[in-house]
Amino acid sequence: MFNSESPSGLRSRGVACLALLLPSLASAAALDSRDPVPAGYASPPYYPAPYGGWDDDWSEAYTKATALVSRMTVAEKVNITAGTGLFMVNNNRFRVRRCVGNTGSAPRVGFPQLCLQDGPLGVRTTGNITAFPAGITTGATWSKELMYERGVALGEEFRGKGVNFYLGPSVGSLGRQPRGGRSWEGFGSDPVLQAVAGAETIKGVQEQGVIATLKHFIANEQELYRMYNPFQQAYSANIDDRTLHELYLWPFAAGVKAGTGAVMTAYNAVNGSACSQNAYLINGLLKEELGFQGLVMTDWLAQISGVGSALAGLDMSMPGDTVGNNVPLFGYSNWQYELTRSVLNGSVPVDRLNDMATRIAATWYKLGQDAPDYPPPNFSSNTKDREGPLYPGALISPKGVVNENINVQGDHKTVAKQVAQEAITLLKNADNFLPLTTSMPLFVFGTDAQADPKGINSCTDKSCNRGLLGMGWGSGSADYPYLDDPISSLRRKATNVTYYDSDNFPKKVPLPLAGDVGIVFINSDAGENSYTAENNHGDRDSDGLSAWHKGDELVKKAAETYDQVVVVVHTVGPIIMEPWIDMPSVKAVLVAHLPGQEAGDSLTEVLFGEVSPSGHLPYTIPVSEDDYPSSVALKSTPKLSQIQDMYTEGVYIDYRHFNKAGVKPRFAFGHGLSYASFSFSNATISRTGEDMSSIPAARPSKPTSPIADIDSSLPDAADAYYPKGFNKIWRYLYSWLDKGEADKAHAIGAAGTKKYPYPTGYSTTQKTDGAPGGGASGGNPALFEVAYTLSVTVTNEGTTKASGKAVAQAYVKFPEAADNGGFDTPLIQLRDFAKSASLAPGESATLKLQLDRKDVSVWDTESQNWIVPNPKGRYGVWIGQSSDDLSVVCYTDTLACEDGAQGP
């Protein structure tokens, strides 16, 4: 398999090796026409790119931005729309740039270079930070409060490091493919769980003034063959319209509604068109239907065209060069000087450039980054040394201070530990075996119990699975400042601990005595396709859903030796447990997910009963991998052609599929036990406002954008000339042109006789009617009107002394298809959830839940709108502790609720 990728963050220096291997491609043109897409799947043209600036919440930012952009030259506008190149930063009088992505600047008008930095769980490739639990761990808490608090802490750290853009959160992938490599960066295999966690993260981060970057738009469900390169097109995720809206677009809509400042496109194609230049996705869905006001950027090196991507709505190219149709570090860019040329020769309309630049500037203003106290970057993505090259990608570079070693951790370890702990999911606890006592003799097996003996950051971007698995690998990782590992914590707390630091069961162990307990640590890793770990190419294509390092054998041998065994699993997603889950001696199983730096005490406090586990699965664990629909298997190809990944399962992924197929999983979506025992009762439901109509209220009219007021006449060629005496650095990407090139391009544009071969359906006239289901910042505001409010009492009825936190999960069951306009809907769909405070035995609390209009709607492909097929029909709102443990139901037609009901 050919893999020419670089990482999606610092982005590996392996790209330099690629450049040496492929010198003949330095002037390659855009890839040939895309492969034919199977009938029924389409990515129709949508032009022109809608202007930003028509949301009242953004009006002040756009007023400032349009005034600023109106003063810029064409080269200055272009310069802020793209990066300055891979490993290329700039030391100018305005700021020093050291990040994984660095835009150009316009210092003449006071606009700086902007710093873009990975990753979703912490500031990547630098020290003095917190390595937070991963997204999948955060989702497993089912705590909106912790999702938000983690976002706040992340925002504080990114701001403290002087970062403008936090490259997260990730809500795409959705976890459709259980072997998929980067699902762990997101929050779970359900659009609502993803939506809530993503939105709370965005709020927390952006309240600190840092721009959140919602990614990867859209359907980045597989790592293998995800990326365009000069030899092969990326795979195409072929998705029908309804599935796209009800599953994959849902969390992006919530993120846009939460105010995300940026959206990053995915590497792959959707319905045959690359996401970075897919006019239907960017212009039609994101900017028009969802009313997104911020900026759209590429993933790193993903841009494969210049004019085409600009017309399709792309606003920023990162890091400025590309691997899709050229070789990075050779000074080639699809934008920068090429975009300047395309504007001067009339290929790219001036108003499109105005919109691009204004969206970027407006986002900067919106987050208050024009304030004089917003810090510049104080770290380097390229070296840990205090001093280093100012232009790491250049052959010759001056040196200077690039790392001030600013500590931004604060007390963030507290929220990091709480997230790690509240995510721990107790799957099995036979005969209430847990919690343990600290006096029990403990025999611990598996290298996953300890920190990597070669060093906690010894593998670049965590691209090996050695020692404890606290995060997956790739650009979504971060360096540990320290690692509290489980074995150290066990030794601190327990009086009799024996550790075997091997993944092979020892040939000789002392004859077990009554009361001895075996604790076995196993894991399953995954990550980005920029690295291969133990023959897994990002996705779990080699090990599948089995525990790595023959973990199943380790558990079985321990369970054959000891009468009491506890299994602890660190994993990126579901693993098959059938080889050992029913063994009588396997008393308890806990999934600790990916806990980050606080992996030790967060776990042992649960093991010893200092706190009760309160995590719930953010995905389903099946009995067999064959229980999934065949369409969600990883896709491969024997030849260099575009893979067509058919989403024929439609809306039926994860628990939705298992329910439809009547297949009982080993552990259901939402499953999680506690040392406490909870019951739900006294549920109520009330309708908010008047009876619903089938069709929502019409979207508000779309105001005129201030972008239209910016001068859109052809710029002077002189505005694009290199400044006199300018000293160019080879490989650095600039927006200027030599005088002769600028004059030639301007002459073509002024004559107007040569026309660019615009795509089918291209237009320059702004649409005024808008999509029926659309509206500013998230879609039609009528969709987010509260339709029903519910409450339910949760009581800790435990007979032990254990306190604990309960999670109420609310699932909607639509009327049957015959009474639902013929729409086929999943048996149940998660729509809201709430987590209680810690409840002592006998203590109760009332949890509040709500359903918006969108929650009881389906996407109608004919009307292109969200409709309620039968507003007076019987919707059941099922409430319980997991998707297969729902004991309370409320009905929307009678507004009556039942306790002790038989689940759907």
Side-chain angles (χ1 to χ4, degrees), residues 148-149 151-156 159 199-212 258-259 366-368 374:
Y148 168 75
E149 290 179 358
V152 169
L154 281 164
E156 290 175 350
R159 180 181 180 122
E200 293 296 332
T201 302
I202 290 165
K203 291 174 187 176
V205 167
Q206 293 200 160
E207 285 175 6
Q208 316 316 310
V210 178
I211 301 166
K366 174 75 170 169
L367 274 295
Y374 200 91

Side-chain angles (χ1 to χ4, degrees), residues 125-266:
T125 63
T126 188
N128 297 303
I129 57 95
T130 302
F132 290 92
I136 199 68
T137 314
T138 309
T141 68
W142 292 69
S143 168
K144 296 176 183 177
E145 180 181 4
L146 285 179
M147 293 165 181
Y148 168 75
E149 290 179 358
R150 174 179 174 269
V152 169
L154 281 164
E156 290 175 350
E157 297 207 357
F158 275 77
R159 180 181 180 122
K161 287 292 186 180
V163 176
N164 299 98
F165 289 81
Y166 157 67
L167 298 180
S170 176
V171 296
S173 74
L174 185 59
R176 168 192 182 245
Q177 289 164 278
R179 290 193 182 197
R182 298 182 74 179
S183 298
W184 60 272
E185 294 184 32
F187 304 99
S189 298
D190 179 88
V192 168
L193 183 59
Q194 285 265 45
V196 171
E200 293 296 332
T201 302
I202 290 165
K203 291 174 187 176
V205 167
Q206 293 200 160
E207 285 175 6
Q208 316 316 310
V210 178
I211 301 166
T213 306
L214 194 62
K215 62 182 187 180
H216 301 90
F217 188 70
I218 195 169
N220 183 192
E221 300 292 323
Q222 174 176 312
E223 285 298 287
L224 286 161
Y225 306 104
R226 66 176 180 162
M227 196 168 182
Y228 284 80
N229 62 60
F231 299 117
Q232 185 175 18
Q233 298 184 61
Y235 65 79
S236 176
N238 299 323
I239 315 174
D240 68 84
D241 187 32
R242 183 181 167 200
T243 298
L244 185 63
H245 277 82
E246 293 191 14
L247 287 190
Y248 302 97
L249 192 62
W250 190 292
F252 284 96
V256 171
K257 185 175 185 293
T260 188
V263 171
M264 181 190 292
T265 61

Side-chain angles (χ1 to χ4, degrees), residues 565-588:
V565 172
V566 177
V567 181
V568 178
V569 183
H570 291 111
T571 181
V572 293
I575 68 167
I576 303 299
M577 301 179 176
E578 296 312 300
W580 45 265
I581 189 66
D582 285 329
M583 295 180 71
S585 55
V586 175
K587 300 297 184 183

Side-chain angles (χ1 to χ4, degrees), residues 86 151 165 252 345 441 484 492 616 709 726 844:
L86 195 66
F165 289 81
F252 284 96
N345 69 23
D484 179 26
R492 288 194 299 268
H616 291 255
D709 296 329
F726 187 82
S844 298

Side-chain angles (χ1 to χ4, degrees), residues 132-143 145-151 153 187 412-425 592-596 598 602 614-615 835:
F132 290 92
I136 199 68
T137 314
T138 309
T141 68
W142 292 69
S143 168
E145 180 181 4
L146 285 179
M147 293 165 181
Y148 168 75
E149 290 179 358
R150 174 179 174 269
F187 304 99
H412 299 151
K413 65 181 181 180
T414 301
V415 68
K417 178 187 172 186
Q418 190 172 0
V419 171
Q421 188 165 84
E422 291 203 23
I424 292 172
T425 307
H593 306 282
L594 301 174
E598 304 296 335
S602 64
S614 64
K835 193 168 191 175

Side-chain angles (χ1 to χ4, degrees), residues 5 20 90 105 118 213 215 224 228-229 296 308 313 328 346 392 420 625 684 705 707 791 855:
E5 295 191 27
L20 296 176
N90 185 21
S105 62
D118 296 309
T213 306
K215 62 182 187 180
L224 286 161
Y228 284 80
N229 62 60
V296 179
E625 193 170 355
T684 66
S705 166
I707 304 293
S791 68
D855 293 326

Side-chain angles (χ1 to χ4, degrees), residues 267-567:
Y267 284 118
N268 54 278
V270 168
N271 294 345
S273 179
C275 289
S276 63
Q277 58 181 44
N278 190 313
Y280 174 70
L281 292 180
I282 302 175
N283 290 340
L285 292 186
L286 184 59
K287 291 186 173 181
E288 179 56 60
E289 186 177 313
L290 300 188
F292 177 54
Q293 305 294 306
L295 65 103
V296 179
M297 70 175 72
T298 65
D299 204 337
W300 263 236
L301 303 170
Q303 190 179 23
I304 62 172
S305 72
V307 175
S309 59
L311 301 180
L314 188 68
D315 302 306
M316 182 182 285
S317 172
M318 276 290 140
D321 33 21
T322 181
V323 76
N325 65 327
N326 216 283
V327 177
L329 289 174
F330 268 66
Y332 176 82
S333 176
N334 284 316
W335 277 6
Q336 288 289 23
Y337 55 90
E338 288 292 353
L339 181 55
T340 300
R341 188 194 321 274
S342 296
V343 172
L344 289 177
N345 69 23
S347 299
V348 173
V350 175
D351 69 333
R352 174 77 270 262
L353 176 61
N354 290 341
D355 181 58
M356 293 157 64
T358 306
R359 283 176 176 270
I360 293 165
T363 304
W364 181 68
Y365 280 120
K366 174 75 170 169
L367 274 295
Q369 293 186 358
D370 58 319
D373 63 345
Y374 200 91
N378 50 54
F379 70 101
S380 171
S381 292
N382 305 290
T383 179
K384 299 293 175 63
D385 298 333
R386 175 174 169 78
E387 294 188 357
L390 300 179
Y391 307 96
L395 293 179
I396 301 174
S397 172
K399 291 189 176 182
V401 175
V402 293
N403 272 315
E404 280 86 351
N405 297 311
I406 303 298
N407 191 313
V408 295
Q409 295 168 329
D411 191 35
H412 299 151
K413 65 181 181 180
T414 301
V415 68
K417 178 187 172 186
Q418 190 172 0
V419 171
Q421 188 165 84
E422 291 203 23
I424 292 172
T425 307
L426 180 60
L427 300 182
K428 177 181 178 180
N429 194 21
D431 303 320
N432 294 319
F433 179 71
L434 292 181
L436 307 172
T437 66
T438 56
S439 60
M440 287 178 167
L442 305 179
F443 295 83
V444 183
F445 302 88
T447 60
D448 184 68
Q450 67 177 355
D452 183 348
K454 294 187 178 181
I456 57 176
N457 296 311
S458 60
C459 293
T460 303
D461 289 334
K462 304 298 178 287
S463 56
C464 66
N465 185 2
R466 191 169 55 226
L468 179 128
L469 181 65
M471 61 186 74
W473 75 74
S475 62
S477 66
D479 286 351
Y480 293 117
Y482 61 84
L483 178 57
D484 179 26
D485 60 7
I487 191 59
S488 299
S489 182
L490 286 168
R491 286 169 170 161
R492 288 194 299 268
K493 292 177 178 294
T495 58
N496 187 354
V497 178
T498 303
Y499 179 45
Y500 298 92
D501 58 346
S502 172
D503 292 319
N504 296 311
F505 196 79
K507 294 181 179 179
K508 292 183 179 181
V509 296
L511 185 66
L513 303 175
D516 288 357
V517 178
I519 305 179
V520 185
F521 286 80
I522 61 175
N523 68 37
S524 179
D525 200 359
E528 194 169 14
N529 187 220
S530 45
Y531 300 97
T532 296
E534 300 182 35
N535 206 35
N536 292 275
H537 300 84
D539 303 310
R540 294 187 282 176
D541 55 313
S542 178
D543 283 83
L545 303 191
S546 297
W548 285 32
H549 309 148
K550 299 180 180 179
D552 291 337
E553 290 299 312
L554 183 63
V555 174
K556 287 196 292 184
K557 289 183 177 179
E560 290 167 355
T561 304
Y562 296 90
D563 292 334
Q564 304 173 129
V565 172
V566 177
V567 181

Side-chain angles (χ1 to χ4, degrees), residues 745-891:
H746 185 272
I748 294 172
T753 56
K754 293 184 178 180
K755 295 295 183 181
Y756 182 83
Y758 293 107
T760 301
Y762 178 69
S763 169
T764 59
T765 304
Q766 287 286 312
K767 293 178 172 61
T768 58
D769 49 355
S777 295
N780 187 343
L783 298 175
F784 304 104
E785 294 172 354
V786 177
Y788 300 95
T789 58
L790 300 98
S791 68
V792 65
T793 299
V794 58
T795 303
N796 181 354
E797 295 184 337
T799 56
T800 67
K801 296 181 180 180
S803 298
K805 295 183 177 182
V807 173
Q809 303 170 27
Y811 297 81
V812 168
K813 183 179 186 299
F814 280 68
E816 298 299 329
D819 194 31
N820 195 38
F823 285 94
D824 178 29
T825 56
L827 178 65
I828 53 172
Q829 300 177 75
L830 181 71
R831 286 298 187 252
D832 198 8
F833 56 90
K835 193 168 191 175
S836 74
S838 184
L839 301 176
E843 191 175 3
S844 298
T846 299
L847 299 179
K848 303 290 186 180
L849 302 158
Q850 71 177 38
L851 303 180
D852 295 341
R853 180 188 174 93
K854 188 177 179 181
D855 293 326
V856 292
S857 299
V858 296
W859 178 255
D860 180 37
T861 59
E862 291 187 10
S863 66
Q864 289 292 289
N865 207 348
W866 291 95
I867 67 169
V868 181
N870 185 355
K872 297 185 182 299
R874 167 162 283 209
Y875 289 79
V877 185
W878 289 85
I879 302 171
Q881 301 187 71
S882 72
S883 64
D884 68 344
D885 181 15
L886 303 172
S887 59
V888 172
V889 62
C890 296
Y891 297 107

